[in-house]
Amino acid sequence: MSRKNISSGTEYEKIAGYSRAVRLGNVVHVSGTTATEGADTIIGVGDSGAQTDFIIRKIEAALQQAGASLSDVVRTRIYLAPGADWEAVARVHGQYFGEIRPANTLLYIQALVGEDYLVEMEAEAIIAAE
């Protein structure tokens, strides 16, 4: 089974030893994704829905690099910082995944990697045989 590591090109991948996504055979795992653009610009500060929208679009780009799409997603995990609006997050998730309906976990945790981050999300996809 072949393995393909997908990189976002950030320095943190090399420092921490991870990939944006990994495809192994027809399975794609997308790492925890935050609303960060470039090295350090946080999108949607104070807006859980805006962060979720940006995150899902980042996940979609990683999936495309791996030869998959949002329609292949079978599981999402969403981590919320204290103060995040879970209903706004759920609404945005539903806009993208309402027809796909992957398994989902939504958790409040003590904190994310930085104080302006409200949402972090990971995804798993299985590419159907063509």
Side-chain angles (χ1 to χ4, degrees):
M1 204 176 304
S2 65
R3 176 186 176 119
K4 179 179 181 183
N5 291 344
I6 309 300
S7 175
S8 64
T10 70
E11 64 186 69
Y12 301 110
E13 288 177 357
K14 189 170 185 177
I15 292 169
Y18 76 95
S19 296
R20 160 82 357 247
V22 176
R23 178 175 176 173
L24 186 59
N26 68 334
V27 178
V28 181
H29 298 276
V30 181
S31 291
T33 305
T34 59
T36 307
E37 185 170 44
D40 56 7
T41 302
I42 301 171
I43 303 301
V45 173
D47 186 336
S48 303
Q51 286 194 8
T52 303
D53 184 74
F54 186 81
I55 288 166
I56 293 173
R57 288 185 283 119
K58 275 180 71 173
I59 288 171
E60 182 176 34
L63 288 167
Q64 288 173 346
Q65 284 184 276
S69 69
L70 289 179
S71 65
D72 297 311
V73 172
V74 296
R75 170 163 266 312
T76 56
R77 289 181 189 86
I78 305 171
Y79 305 93
L80 302 177
D85 179 354
W86 75 266
E87 290 182 9
V89 171
R91 280 192 296 277
V92 173
H93 186 276
Q95 289 170 1
Y96 285 93
F97 293 107
E99 296 297 318
I100 302 163
R101 304 206 35 185
N104 174 258
T105 302
L106 179 68
L107 301 165
Y108 272 102
I109 60 172
Q110 186 172 355
L112 292 173
V113 71
E115 66 183 49
D116 289 328
Y117 294 105
L118 297 171
V119 181
E120 184 166 340
M121 183 174 173
E122 17 175 279
E124 297 170 10
I126 299 176
I127 303 166
E130 297 177 25

